[in-house]
Structures are given as structure tokens and as C-alpha cells.
């Protein structure tokens, strides 16, 4: 074959290749997708938006200390307060803004004390009923989780609507201290974990609350994309080193702080029972979700947070402390 014939064949091949590429690009545009942005080629979290992360891409957290100090409080105490089947919800916050109704789009879920509302007082809370089977009158609350409504945008940032999801399971567990015995919490001790305005104040107080039931050691500050059939979890580990004097403080944190990395308490603080509050959700496959948040926080998962106010009757708190300090595994209700 002559050189001119070979050149013509090569030119024809190049033209065909270019045409096929243009056709592919045209199909991608027609479907609203860039050819490099096809769902099959993108990380799964990117299909939901930047607030989501594939849980398999999250590194496991640090391994707890292998051994506890002699005399440490190694017990656990778990009890049942339901999962808010009765729909106790409102926009009040008896810790940070008592007496203020709150913003209409920042709704809290509650378990425990059935009377917690804008007009609650220490006396009214102490006299109210409870959803806890062991008689714990404490109040536990957190922002509701909603599935994203149709038309709310790819990350659900354009509104405050959506269907509120009732947790499938709510677990409350107190643990002790790996460095020594715990002391009883005083009545009305308030505790805070996470930060409702973390998206705009730098995130220093944000808590990694998000994970999946199959990967509890992988905690993130982003909404997790879990394997099919898995549960979405929110895990709140509260501070547990008390200053021994106050039940609250101006920032609602200084009186009750987190332990050091080795589990010990900072100087001039004392270990009290440490609460872990775990919320589990069964969500339809592929659904997007978000928590209620203040305006300007864009429903960011970084703003997840929770509160509790201790109103356990003294005999019940003494029972909890004895369980933890004796190293037993206890379960009520």
C-alpha cells in the first residue's frame, strides 16, 4: 500500500474516533452528566454532596488503653428510656436558653423527662414523669434528623422541611473511669457535647458523632454513607470530669470537661459517670438526610450536638456509681 493510502486510512480513523468522542460528550450533556462525572466513576459519597462521606473512607479511631489502673471503675450501666415513640419534640433548650422558645426550624427530640419545654423549671422537671423504666427523670435531647424533601437541592440546604425520622433504637450507657473510681453526679448537672454553630465558628468544639452500625470504630463529622441494609448511628460521648462545685457554667462546658487521652481527669476535676448516648436509624437505601440546624449553619453535620440534665433520684445515682466502681455490667429495664 502506498504511503498516501496509509495516511488517508489513518486520517479516517482519527476522524471516526473524534466523532465517537463528540457523540459521547453529547450524550453526557443530554443526561446532565459530564463524562468524567458519571455515577459509576464517582465516590459514592459524592452522589449525595460534600456533607457526606463513604464510611469505608473514614479511618478507625484510636484504640482504648489495653489495661485500666488498679481500682479503676470498669463497670457499665445501661438503661432504657424508649426512643421518643410519643413524639416529644419542641424548639426549646433548657440548658442554653431556658425560657426562650427557640427558632422554629431547630427542633429537638427528647427521651427521659416528659415535661421538658420552654417553661420548665428545676422544680417542674423534678416532679414530672419519665419515659425511663428505672425512674430516671433526667432530660436527654438532640436535634431531629430528617430525610431530605423533594426539591431541597443536592445536599438539602435550601429549606428546613423533610420527614422527621424516629430513631429505631436509643441506647444510654454510663461507663466509669480507667484511672480510678467515679463520684456521683449532683442533681441538675448539665452537660453538652458538640456545637450547634460549628459551621461558622471554626469547629473547635465539633464532635465526631456520625458512623454506621457495622463500623462503630469509624467516627466522622460528616453524614455517613453506610453499606446497604446498615443503620446510620449518631454517637454522643459526653464530658465526665466535674469541677466539684458547679452544675452549670456561662459557656455550659467549663464545669464539666472531657477526660485526657489516657482517660484521667484534668487537675482539680473529678470523674463522674460518663454518658454515651447512641441513636440508630433505619433509612431507605440511597436516601439523603440532615439534622435541623440554625440559619447560617446550612444543616451541616459538623453542628451535631446533644444535651442532658441529670435528674436521677439519689438512690438510683448511687446504684449507678456502685455498679461502675465494682466493675459490673448492669442493665435496667
Amino acid at each position: 500500500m502506498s504511503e498516501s493510502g496509509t495516511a488517508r486510512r489513518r486520517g479516517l480513523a482519527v476522524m471516526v474516533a473524534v466523532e465517537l468522542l463528540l457523540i459521547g460528550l453529547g450524550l453526557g450533556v443530554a443526561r446532565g452528566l459530564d463524562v468524567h462525572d458519571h455515577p459509576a466513576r464517582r465516590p459514592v459519597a459524592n452522589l449525595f454532596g460534600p456533607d457526606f462521606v463513604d464510611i469505608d473512607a473514614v479511618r478507625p479511631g484510636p484504640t482504648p488503653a489495653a489495661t485500666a489502673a488498679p481500682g479503676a471503675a470498669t463497670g457499665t450501666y445501661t438503661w432504657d428510656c424508649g426512643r421518643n415513640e410519643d413524639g416529644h419534640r419542641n424548639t426549646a433548650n433548657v440548658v442554653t436558653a431556658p425560657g426562650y422558645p427557640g427558632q422554629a426550624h431547630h427542633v429537638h427530640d427528647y427521651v427521659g423527662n416528659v415535661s421538658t419545654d420552654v417553661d420548665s423549671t428545676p422544680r417542674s422537671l423534678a416532679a414530672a414523669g419519665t419515659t425511663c423504666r428505672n425512674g430516671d427523670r433526667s432530660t436527654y435531647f438532640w436535634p431531629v434528623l430528617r430525610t431530605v424533601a423533594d426539591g431541597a437541592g443536592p445536599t438539602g440546604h435550601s429549606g428546613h422541611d423533610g420527614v422527621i425520622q424516629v430513631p429505631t433504637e436509643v441506647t444510654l450507657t454510663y461507663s466509669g473511669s480507667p484511672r480510678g473510681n467515679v463520684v456521683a453526679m449532683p442533681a441538675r448537672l448539665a452537660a453538652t457535647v458538640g456545637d450547634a454553630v460549628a459551621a461558622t465558628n471554626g469547629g473547635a468544639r465539633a464532635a465526631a458523632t456520625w458512623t454506621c452500625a457495622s463500623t462503630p470504630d469509624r467516627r466522622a463529622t460528616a453524614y455517613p454513607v453506610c453499606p446497604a441494609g446498615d443503620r446510620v448511628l449518631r454517637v454522643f460521648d459526653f464530658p465526665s470530669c466535674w469541677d466539684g462545685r458547679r452544675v452549670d457554667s456561662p459557656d455550659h462546658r467549663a464545669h464539666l470537661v472531657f477526660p485526657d487521652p489516657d482517660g484521667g481527669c484534668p487537675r482539680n476535676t473529678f470523674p463522674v459517670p460518663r454518658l454515651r448516648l447512641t441513636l440508630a436509624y433505619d433509612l431507605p437505601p440511597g436516601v439523603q438526610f440532615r439534622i435541623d440546624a440554625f440559619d447560617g449553619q446550612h444543616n451541616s453535620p459538623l453542628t451535631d450536638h446533644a444535651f442532658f440534665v441529670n435528674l436521677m433520684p439519689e438512690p438510683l445515682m448511687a446504684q449507678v456509681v456502685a455498679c461502675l466502681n465494682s466493675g459490673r455490667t448492669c442493665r435496667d429495664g
Side-chain angles (χ1 to χ4, degrees), residues 62-65 178-179 258-266 274:
T63 303
R179 313 317 304 167
F258 288 96
D260 294 329
D262 67 354
C265 282
R274 185 171 194 184

Side-chain angles (χ1 to χ4, degrees), residues 28 50 72 85-86 110 121 143 166 171-172 212 228 232 235 267 279 290 303 328:
E85 300 96 320
D86 297 333
Y110 292 87
T121 65
V166 178
T171 304
L172 299 100
C212 306
V232 171
V235 184
R267 187 177 180 181
L279 316 175
R290 65 185 181 208
T303 66
R328 290 179 287 145

Side-chain angles (χ1 to χ4, degrees), residues 195-204 206 293-300 302-303:
D195 185 0
V197 292
T200 57
N201 73 357
F294 294 123
D295 278 338
Q297 301 302 314
H298 308 294
N299 299 100
S300 170
L302 195 67
T303 66

Side-chain angles (χ1 to χ4, degrees), residues 247-262:
V247 296
D248 202 355
S249 50
D251 68 351
H252 312 294
R253 302 172 190 271
H255 66 292
L256 188 69
V257 299
F258 288 96
D260 294 329
D262 67 354

